[in-house]
């Protein structure tokens, strides 16, 4: 199915542009890393000096631990700021960081190189995902929330199922370097696609009524946080 055919079908189902582009982006970015699913542990054991199955385990831990530590503060930061500019640019920054890592795998020679790269990948995911979640949640079509979240889930599932199968085949035929380059290019395309909604996101900061509600809520919070008058001295 071509991109245009998929786009027209989603549009015909009433899926708005911002949601469509976010799904396309995640499909490309996350599915790209599916290429690594069947080969990453083999790469670590065969290609690194001192590589082993233990290294693969610690590499996975490095990613998830760093991501878990950084993601909540990143989410609190974007929630504390008015508008979606910060959401969008953190999404771009995180996606870009994630897209660079597959190319850097090619330079890894010893286990600590991989640990550092996995930690940086975790930082990228931690600052990209909250922005993606926030924008997607705000712009879902009313009464189609279940459909659109499911559409995203199915797209990612199908993408990873396809790329995981291809990853092993391509690595066997052309080597690890080819797969890493392919992952980097596909994830970079997933980042570039996000710029198709840049104008809509920046425009929503000025026109959406949701930010009027944000102003009211945060105005009340500021008043509640403001210290009251000092109590009179006791007689």
């Amino acid at each position: 199915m071509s991109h245009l055919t998929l786009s027209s079908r989603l549009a015909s189902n009433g899926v708005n542009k911002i949601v469509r582009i976010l799904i396309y982006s995640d499909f490309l970015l996350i599915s790209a890393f599916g290429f690594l699913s069947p080969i990453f542990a083999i790469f670590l054991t065969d290609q690194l000096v001192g590589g082993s199955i233990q290294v693969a385990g610690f590499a996975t831990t490095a990613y998830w631990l760093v991501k878990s530590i950084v993601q909540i503060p990143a989410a609190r930061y974007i929630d504390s700021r008015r508008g979606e500019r910060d959401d969008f640019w953190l999404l771009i920054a995180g996606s870009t960081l994630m897209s660079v890592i597959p190319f850097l795998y090619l330079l890894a020679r010893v286990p600590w190189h991989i640990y550092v790269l996995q930690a940086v990948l975790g930082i990228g995911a931690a600052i990209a995902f909250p922005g993606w979640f926030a924008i997607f949640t705000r712009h879902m079509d009313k009464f189609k929330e279940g459909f659109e979240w499911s559409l995203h889930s199915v797209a990612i599932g199908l993408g990873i199922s396809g790329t995981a199968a291809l990853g092993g085949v391509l690595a066997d035929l052309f080597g690890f370097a080819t797969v890493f380059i392919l992952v980097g290019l596909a994830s970079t395309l997933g980042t570039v696609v996000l710029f198709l909604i840049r104008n809509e996101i920046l425009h929503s900061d000025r026109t959406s009524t949701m930010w009027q509600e944000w102003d009211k809520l945060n105005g009340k919070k500021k008043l509640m946080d403001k210290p009251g008058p000092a109590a009179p001295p006791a007689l």
Side-chain angles (χ1 to χ4, degrees):
M1 182 184 295
S2 70
H3 169 79
L4 290 177
T5 302
L6 177 61
S7 180
S8 61
R9 289 194 177 186
L10 290 179
S12 68
N13 280 293
V15 180
N16 69 74
K17 178 183 176 181
I18 291 178
V19 169
R20 292 200 309 270
I21 295 302
L22 288 172
I23 291 176
Y24 296 154
S25 172
D26 241 21
F27 173 79
L28 289 166
L29 182 66
I30 297 180
S31 297
F33 281 88
F35 282 110
L36 302 182
S37 298
I39 68 166
F40 195 57
I42 300 172
F43 166 76
L44 297 181
T45 56
D46 289 356
Q47 302 296 312
L48 296 186
V49 176
S52 66
I53 297 299
Q54 290 183 11
V55 172
F58 287 128
T60 301
T61 296
Y63 166 78
W64 283 105
L65 182 61
V66 172
K67 177 181 177 294
S68 299
I69 292 172
V70 175
Q71 187 163 337
I72 293 298
R76 293 291 296 270
Y77 171 77
I78 64 173
D79 285 345
S80 69
R81 296 177 65 86
R82 187 186 192 279
E84 292 187 312
R85 292 170 182 263
D86 54 305
D87 306 50
F88 179 76
W89 290 118
L90 276 182
L91 172 56
I92 292 293
S95 299
T96 300
L97 204 56
M98 293 176 69
S99 301
V100 170
I101 297 301
F103 297 112
L104 298 180
Y105 285 145
L106 296 170
L107 304 177
R109 295 293 179 266
V110 293
W112 74 264
H113 292 169
I114 292 295
Y115 299 152
V116 170
L117 292 177
Q118 288 293 98
V120 174
L121 182 65
I123 293 172
I127 63 177
F129 290 173
W132 191 99
F133 292 147
I135 296 172
F136 189 86
T137 300
R138 292 190 196 104
H139 291 275
M140 284 189 296
D141 296 290
K142 196 170 184 179
F143 304 125
K144 293 184 179 180
E145 294 87 352
F147 170 71
E148 291 177 355
W149 274 117
S150 298
L151 189 63
H152 171 259
S153 178
V154 169
I156 298 304
L158 291 175
I160 292 177
S161 69
T163 55
L166 283 174
V169 174
L170 293 174
D172 192 42
L173 292 175
F174 305 108
F176 293 112
T178 299
V179 178
F180 288 138
I181 292 171
L182 184 59
V183 173
L185 292 175
S187 54
T188 298
L189 181 59
T191 302
V192 171
V193 162
L194 292 169
F195 284 94
L196 295 175
I197 57 173
R198 176 179 177 274
N199 290 337
E200 285 83 354
I201 294 299
L202 300 184
H203 184 65
S204 74
D205 279 7
R206 298 188 298 271
T207 60
S208 178
T209 56
M210 76 177 75
W211 300 116
Q212 297 174 13
E213 183 178 356
W214 189 95
D215 290 336
K216 292 178 182 178
L217 290 173
N218 282 270
K220 289 180 180 178
K221 184 176 184 299
K222 289 176 182 177
L223 288 175
M224 292 174 63
D225 293 341
K226 185 176 179 181
L235 297 176

